[in-house]
Amino acid sequence: MTDADFPARRARARERLDAIDPHKRPGGAEADPHRREWFEAVYDLADEDPAGVPWAGLAPHPLLLEWLASRSLAGLRALDVGCGLGDNAEALAAAGAAVTAFDLVPRAVHWAQRRFPQSAVTWRAADLFHAPPEWRGAFDLVHELYTLQALPDTLLADAARALASFVAPGGALLVISRARDEAQRIDGPPWPLTRAQIEALAVDGLRLETLEDVPASDSLVRHWRALLRREGGR
Ligand SMILES: C[S@@+](CC[C@H](N)C(=O)[O-])C[C@H]1O[C@@H](n2cnc3c(N)ncnc32)[C@H](O)[C@@H]1O
């Protein structure tokens, strides 16, 4: 639920967060290479106001909803990576999956839990780069939306290996991200991904099954929606 002042508070939050983001300053990236301190600061400064969390749409992403509309996830184990305030994890659960959702920032996870008190989702605070060992090969569907594009490109190879490690035999990784052409200049973060960066997620036994280039519309900028699969299983 948003109020009339929400857009103004969101705009002020973006300004404030950009001002403290070392990745917005030339040579600043070393100060917080994984952006962990910045992500913590986002949720701290928001102080329970979702306007303060720039990516909080307070609804599942339309490209995830569209993908889910034509399938059931009944009986599948799903993992939502970098779950933020939890709307996408809830959509995966509503589609029938047994969902684990995690975020680096405990405050985000607690906030998601409070927003969805009846939720069947298992909420966890965890770091993509140091995930619990029991998640290895444990999920039929791994869903990642907007976390990769929030990470510096030096981390993408490690992130790809981490994401692949969660996928069970026969399972899949679904990635939704803003898209850009190789030659396009960007003023990130966020850093929309290139086709090559999406293709480079096919590591450690994952194969790119589909890659949709979703053109910009009135409501969305250009996006990728990619499905990568691991052979095996039933
Ligand atoms: C751009 S937001 C997207 C959130 C959510 N997927 C959505 O679309 O609303 C990225 C999220 O990933 C989390 N994150 C960043 N680095 C992470 C890491 N290393 N491990 C787990 N989560 C991380 C952030 O705290 C943030 O909530």
Side-chain angles (χ1 to χ4, degrees):
M1 203 56 124
T2 60
D3 53 79
D5 187 47
F6 188 96
R9 295 202 309 283
R10 171 67 54 91
R12 284 197 299 276
R14 279 189 205 279
E15 249 179 63
R16 194 172 58 208
L17 291 167
D18 282 353
I20 60 164
D21 188 341
H23 288 260
K24 291 280 186 192
R25 293 193 297 273
E30 291 77 25
D32 187 11
H34 286 73
R35 304 189 77 214
R36 291 189 178 107
E37 289 166 31
W38 185 80
F39 283 115
E40 297 270 358
V42 170
Y43 292 102
D44 281 347
L45 292 172
D47 197 21
E48 314 301 309
D49 178 6
V53 180
W55 43 85
L58 303 181
H61 195 283
L63 291 178
L64 173 61
L65 282 184
E66 185 189 73
W67 190 83
L68 289 173
S70 57
R71 45 183 58 78
S72 162
L73 303 187
L76 299 188
R77 302 156 297 173
L79 181 70
D80 188 36
V81 176
C83 63
L85 298 191
D87 297 88
N88 296 320
E90 284 297 309
L92 293 166
V99 179
T100 299
F102 76 100
D103 200 283
L104 174 72
V105 182
R107 198 163 176 173
V109 175
H110 297 144
W111 193 345
Q113 270 174 315
R114 278 197 308 282
R115 288 187 65 222
F116 301 104
Q118 310 299 328
S119 180
V121 171
T122 300
W123 305 99
R124 292 281 301 270
D127 186 337
L128 172 63
F129 300 107
H130 302 281
E134 65 269 22
W135 289 358
R136 175 164 283 274
F139 297 96
D140 306 298
L141 179 67
V142 176
H143 169 255
E144 138 50 23
L145 196 146
Y146 287 0
T147 303
L148 290 173
Q149 67 177 41
L151 298 174
D153 60 5
T154 49
L155 298 182
L156 292 183
D158 283 352
R161 281 192 291 275
L163 292 171
S165 76
F166 304 139
V167 180
L173 166 65
L174 174 66
V175 176
I176 296 172
S177 151
R178 291 186 183 191
R180 72 175 166 95
D181 286 327
E182 208 75 52
Q184 203 175 320
R185 273 182 54 80
I186 44 168
D187 181 24
W191 299 278
L193 301 183
T194 64
R195 180 180 288 273
Q197 286 172 324
I198 294 285
E199 288 170 349
L201 299 173
V203 295
D204 296 345
L206 289 195
R207 180 181 53 78
L208 188 59
E209 188 169 276
T210 55
L211 174 51
E212 296 167 82
D213 185 346
V214 184
S217 65
D218 289 346
S219 52
L220 274 187
V221 299
R222 181 182 169 205
H223 277 69
W224 304 116
R225 185 169 52 191
L227 193 71
L228 299 103
R229 190 168 296 281
R230 183 183 300 293
E231 297 300 327
R234 282 176 277 150

